[in-house]
Amino acid sequence: MSLGKKDIVNNISSETFLHKAVSKSFLESFLNLIKKNRFKTIKISNFGTFYLHESPVRIGRNPKTKQEFKIPKRKKLTFKPSSTFKNIIN
């Protein structure tokens, strides 16, 4: 099962009775706070750990034309849920 930002915003708004615009800005602020943090990992007790991972430069290929191009490096936010959180949602 995969949750996108839209799903998380809908869940926040339904649980807290806030408007979706407020829920979306809350989620964006939270993610920006994690991304701009100077640490590589942020651990939230009984919830999980957020990792800031930098993907290296790599070669991509258009499957239709077989043309190769360079994909620049970028930062990715990864989440690993804690065992307590996994037990709650399963």
Side-chain angles (χ1 to χ4, degrees), residues 27 59 64 69 84 90:
L27 179 63
I59 302 295
K64 198 171 195 177
F69 57 95
T84 306
N90 284 335

Side-chain angles (χ1 to χ4, degrees), residues 54-75:
E54 193 168 300
S55 65
V57 176
R58 59 192 171 99
I59 302 295
R61 189 175 298 114
N62 183 335
K64 198 171 195 177
T65 63
K66 309 293 186 212
Q67 180 183 5
E68 292 185 350
F69 57 95
K70 189 167 117 177
I71 300 173
K73 69 178 181 178
R74 64 182 212 181
K75 293 180 181 177

Side-chain angles (χ1 to χ4, degrees), residues 32-42 52 75:
N32 285 335
L33 178 70
I34 291 172
K35 287 179 187 177
K36 291 181 181 180
N37 196 344
R38 59 190 164 123
F39 303 110
K40 294 275 185 186
T41 61
I42 297 177
L52 192 58
K75 293 180 181 177

Side-chain angles (χ1 to χ4, degrees), residues 73-90:
K73 69 178 181 178
R74 64 182 212 181
K75 293 180 181 177
K76 295 180 182 181
L77 184 63
T78 308
F79 174 71
K80 182 179 179 191
S82 70
S83 58
T84 306
F85 184 68
K86 282 183 184 178
N87 292 335
I88 291 171
I89 62 172
N90 284 335

